[in-house]
Amino acid sequence: MKKALVTGGAGFIGSTVVRALLDLGVSVRVLDDLSTGTVDNLDGLRRVEFLQGDVCDASAVIHAIAGVDTVFHLAASVGNKRSLDNPSRDAQVNLLGTIQVLEACRAARVEKIVYSSSAGIFGELKTLPIAEDHPLVPETPYGVTKLAAEKMCLAYTQLYDIRAVCLRYFNVYGPRQRFDAYGNVIPKFVFTLLKGGDIEVYGDGQQTRDFVHARDVAQANVKAALATEVTGVFNIGSGTRVTINDLIRILRANGLEFSPTTGPTRSGDVRDSLADISSARMAFGYKPSVDLARGVGEYVAWAKGEMDHKLA
Ligand code: NAD
């Protein structure tokens, strides 16, 4: 791998993938429309070529892919709630945008595409741990479009000389993950607490999640790309699960003192989540390296820095 394109490279996970590639000495181009990402996420990085553009725009994608051997496709309309608010845009970006990327890859003879999929494609979780052959019954437009895009990547691998790996991320967290209306639980808790707000825990707090650090997700992307012959779908989590009550204990250990209130269980929320990551380990040596206590400590420090920066 000499030159890579990272779509969505100005986003939370994309900017972490960019850093992992630069560490390897790969030269990196980013295509991002800055709809949810920001160029601040690429601050201080040298050797990154930034192109502002939409993955739905064929000419922007063709231009971005010229001269690259590997594509990391992360640009997406992200999350269940956003897809319920705007299902058409979700489908446009996640499915049609992925087709634009695949078509440009085919025309430019790109060797490998690593697609960012999501555990949201499983729908209601029926078995634990969740292996790749778990039933796929997505329950939101986001889950449906991420699954359709995954299938499209695999179809291109069957049809053409292009190798696709689809990585199904579980709950990703880490620096540069900002909190907005669509936020995941760690940014939501940390930023709410730093702003002096109150936390509500849905149900008894004993529901479990598999939180995986963005640096481990980036590691998976790089290793999947370097394993040139590998194609297919792989779960990417930490392979461990913690309860929301455990997470609260870790936040307290990082100096965030609070007493959460308890609310009703949210309809549609899964009770337990845990990725079976053995396929990724066997196929390309994926091995999570950031444990939750360390990762959350680092995240709290980053979030405090963000708040100070905004106040300054
Ligand atoms: P993010 O919003 O930070 O990153 C998405 C990036 O894509 C942003 O920089 C955004 O500006 C860009 N983008 C959006 N639409 C675009 C378009 N039409 N053209 C070009 N760029 C566009 O979100 P993230 O959490 O970093 O997500 C990255 C990928 O990982 C997504 O594909 C998402 O579906 C997947 N994923 C994330 C999680 C998670 O827990 N965060 C879990 C599973 C899967």
Side-chain angles (χ1 to χ4, degrees), residues 46-270:
R46 294 198 189 139
R47 293 183 295 121
V48 177
E49 183 187 350
F50 177 76
L51 303 176
Q52 185 169 353
D54 186 340
V55 289
C56 302
D57 172 354
S59 62
V61 177
I62 289 166
H63 177 61
I65 283 179
V68 312
D69 50 52
T70 309
V71 172
F72 297 87
H73 179 38
L74 292 96
S77 171
V78 181
N80 293 329
K81 186 171 185 310
R82 191 175 271 115
S83 78
L84 292 166
D85 290 348
N86 195 344
S88 301
R89 183 64 187 159
D90 173 274
Q92 219 169 27
V93 178
N94 295 359
L95 182 54
L96 300 181
T98 299
I99 295 173
Q100 296 293 4
V101 170
L102 287 165
E103 276 295 288
C105 284
R106 180 163 81 92
R109 299 185 183 280
V110 166
E111 289 155 26
K112 188 123 192 187
I113 175 166
V114 182
Y115 171 68
S116 286
S117 184
S118 165
I121 65 171
F122 293 119
E124 190 193 334
L125 299 176
K126 298 189 190 317
T127 54
L128 276 189
I130 301 143
E132 284 78 2
D133 61 359
H134 182 283
L136 301 169
V137 193
E139 291 168 340
T140 62
Y142 175 67
V144 171
T145 58
K146 294 301 281 187
L147 177 57
E150 196 183 85
K151 297 279 185 201
M152 195 63 78
C153 290
L154 298 177
Y156 269 67
T157 293
Q158 293 293 323
L159 288 166
Y160 309 113
D161 196 15
I162 174 172
R163 298 190 187 94
V165 172
C166 304
L167 302 178
R168 298 168 171 172
Y169 310 151
F170 281 63
N171 289 67
V172 190
Y173 75 101
R176 295 181 297 283
Q177 186 175 31
R178 293 183 169 79
F179 169 48
D180 61 15
Y182 304 102
N184 291 346
V185 63
I186 291 179
K188 181 174 164 183
F189 278 13
V190 170
F191 277 96
T192 305
L193 291 169
L194 289 177
K195 286 178 188 158
D198 294 324
I199 293 297
E200 185 184 43
V201 171
Y202 305 124
D204 63 4
Q206 287 302 103
Q207 58 272 44
T208 58
R209 295 289 177 269
D210 183 330
F211 293 106
V212 58
H213 196 278
R215 278 201 300 277
D216 284 329
V217 171
Q219 176 215 138
N221 273 267
V222 168
K223 286 184 171 168
L226 290 174
T228 46
E229 297 306 316
V230 172
T231 61
V233 296
F234 298 94
N235 288 343
I236 301 298
S238 67
T240 57
R241 59 180 174 138
V242 296
T243 66
I244 297 302
N245 293 331
D246 292 332
L247 177 62
I248 289 169
R249 277 189 280 278
I250 292 173
L251 292 172
R252 286 196 178 121
N254 280 285
L256 297 173
E257 269 314 317
F258 62 106
S259 305
T261 57
T262 305
T265 308
R266 270 196 319 183
S267 73
D269 273 2
V270 297

